[in-house]
Amino acid sequence: MNFDYSEEQKMLVQSLERTLAKSYDFETYRAQLETKSSHDPALWASLAELGIMAMPLPESVGGFDGNHTDIALISTELGRRLVPEPYVSNVVVSAFILNATRGESAAEELGGIAAGETRFATAFYEPGERHNPLANNTKASKSTDGWSINGHKAVVLGADTAGHFIVSADADGSSLFLVPADAAGLTVRKYQLLDGRGAADLIFDNVTVEENALLGDAGTAEAIILEAVDRGAAALVADSLGAIEEVIDLTKEYLRTRTQFGRPIGTFQVLAHRMVDLLVDYEQVKSMSMEASVEATNENASDRMKAISAAKAKVGAASRKFGKDSIQMHGGIGMTDEYALGAYVKRLLVNETLFGDTDYHLERYSSL
């Protein structure tokens, strides 16, 4: 199998690298973190201008008909730069659901995503349900005006800046509804995650939406939810790959320049061997990320879920190892806020928990 990237994909990565190198460095990230904001309109607009939002969307709505490998390449660069923008929740997950459930009827919404003008977030997970995207404690019932929704969704990635939510609820089975962020009866509790990305809890108290807010048919959304989660998980695996590559570069540079007893500490055998072990793990992470990007759109649900769970579990475990070992090799400096390493470790830890943690995916893989 040929894993070489096309010229167009290489150009996409180079353009994104140049844009982020100019506009988003570690000090910019720290400044944004202090303002407790996960969204920079200027950066978002520049990413949209590059075609980042439009890449995976259909040509009919202003997209480029890209594949999930394109998404993986973009996600890797966003992870490498610690960009907290809601790319995965908006472009990868929400756009897929809108296209899968409404097709051409969602042209306006998808066009807004492609242009960077509108943002959506998907709400699957619920308190006490531990990574179960099919949790159905949130209920939707028919009302005279359409649908009435009651329930609680937790840790909704990107919900702090979204204008609309795609919400799973039980309506004679798993169903999906499009809910505006300003809907009456909806409480949005916004907060920052450990690494600075934004999220929110959504509390629905007799939230009424119109009849056409139902995406697809009632009770038929289970397969779409599972595929959407897998696509999001594959993107986060790629995001972690970018963060891991930066952790490697920071650690190698520190081992090369930090001296003890008159020579660089990287020449000491115990640290050299430890670094080699991490490089071996990195090659495995890179391979698993490639496989996840290829399998994320596999029409065979069982094969797709196996590949995604294998990648998420492997990369999740490796992320914790990279965090622990790199901080130990850096000594005290690895724990300071002023040094980038800690921010990358936090990014890896958050990625490990979103869309199912290591234990969840190990259990899912064993059950398939």
Side-chain angles (χ1 to χ4, degrees):
M1 184 176 291
N2 183 10
F3 286 108
D4 291 335
Y5 298 123
S6 68
E7 289 302 316
E8 290 80 5
Q9 288 172 329
K10 292 176 183 177
M11 290 173 62
L12 170 68
V13 171
Q14 290 168 0
S15 298
L16 183 54
E17 284 178 339
R18 287 194 295 267
T19 297
L20 293 178
K22 292 178 182 177
S23 59
Y24 205 84
D25 58 14
F26 178 61
E27 292 308 317
T28 306
Y29 163 79
R30 288 190 64 208
Q32 187 173 353
L33 199 66
E34 290 178 1
T35 65
K36 298 188 182 302
S37 171
S38 64
H39 174 59
D40 179 353
L43 176 60
W44 189 254
S46 66
L47 294 178
E49 187 176 347
L50 276 177
I52 299 306
M53 317 304 177
M55 180 56 65
L57 302 184
E59 288 185 8
S60 59
V61 299
F64 298 115
D65 266 335
N67 56 36
H68 213 281
T69 300
D70 299 318
I71 290 175
L73 290 171
I74 293 168
S75 297
T76 298
E77 293 307 312
L78 297 180
R80 194 192 311 278
R81 289 287 178 176
L82 297 170
V83 176
E85 298 292 339
Y87 176 77
V88 173
S89 59
N90 186 42
V91 180
V92 180
V93 180
S94 297
F96 162 73
I97 292 174
L98 289 169
N99 190 41
T101 56
R102 286 193 169 174
E104 295 181 359
S105 299
E108 182 178 351
E109 292 90 346
L110 293 174
I113 291 175
E117 297 170 352
T118 54
R119 290 183 299 281
F120 295 77
T122 52
F124 300 140
Y125 300 101
E126 299 182 354
E129 289 287 347
R130 272 205 86 248
H131 307 294
N132 176 18
L134 300 177
N136 272 334
N137 296 320
T138 298
K139 307 294 183 182
S141 56
K142 291 284 282 185
S143 66
T144 55
D145 298 323
W147 295 89
S148 179
I149 304 174
N150 288 276
H152 185 175
K153 296 293 183 178
V155 196
V156 182
L157 186 64
D160 59 321
T161 62
H164 290 81
F165 306 122
I166 297 174
V167 181
S168 63
D170 181 13
D172 293 326
S174 295
S175 307
L176 292 167
F177 295 88
L178 188 60
V179 181
D182 59 356
L186 173 59
T187 300
V188 182
R189 295 178 177 172
K190 303 177 181 180
Y191 48 83
Q192 273 189 316
L193 299 176
L194 179 66
D195 65 336
R197 279 176 287 187
D201 282 13
L202 308 181
I203 301 173
F204 299 85
D205 184 9
N206 291 320
V207 174
T208 300
V209 293
E210 296 179 357
E211 179 110 14
N212 64 1
L214 176 65
L215 299 174
D217 297 324
T220 63
E222 180 174 323
I224 291 176
I225 292 172
L226 292 176
E227 185 170 355
V229 168
D230 284 344
R231 287 174 179 244
L236 290 180
V237 165
D239 187 291
S240 293
L241 174 65
I244 285 173
E245 289 175 347
E246 283 300 303
V247 168
I248 289 173
D249 288 345
L250 287 169
T251 306
K252 287 168 66 176
E253 179 65 13
Y254 187 77
L255 295 181
R256 186 182 67 82
T257 57
R258 174 74 166 90
T259 59
Q260 190 69 37
F261 305 113
R263 58 186 177 129
I265 62 174
T267 61
F268 295 124
Q269 193 175 61
V270 64
L271 293 179
H273 285 181
R274 203 166 186 178
M275 193 70 224
V276 169
D277 287 342
L278 289 183
L279 292 174
V280 171
D281 281 338
Y282 162 70
E283 293 299 329
Q284 293 176 340
V285 166
K286 187 175 181 180
S287 296
M288 297 299 283
S289 178
M290 287 181 175
E291 182 179 14
S293 69
V294 172
E295 294 293 332
T297 56
N298 192 332
E299 294 181 359
N300 185 311
S302 179
D303 289 348
R304 183 194 72 235
M305 293 167 70
K306 280 184 178 180
I308 299 302
S309 283
K312 195 68 163 61
K314 172 60 184 176
V315 175
S319 295
R320 291 184 175 274
K321 181 179 180 182
F322 269 94
K324 174 175 65 69
D325 287 6
S326 62
I327 286 176
Q328 288 181 352
M329 285 191 281
H330 272 83
I333 192 176
M335 298 295 291
T336 60
D337 287 340
E338 293 79 5
Y339 192 57
L341 179 62
Y344 283 105
V345 173
K346 291 176 183 177
R347 181 89 170 197
L348 291 171
L349 291 175
V350 172
N351 281 347
E352 192 265 338
T353 59
L354 294 172
F355 296 111
D357 63 8
T358 300
D359 290 341
Y360 169 83
H361 281 284
L362 283 174
E363 183 176 350
R364 190 177 82 158
Y365 184 89
S366 67
S367 67
L368 292 171

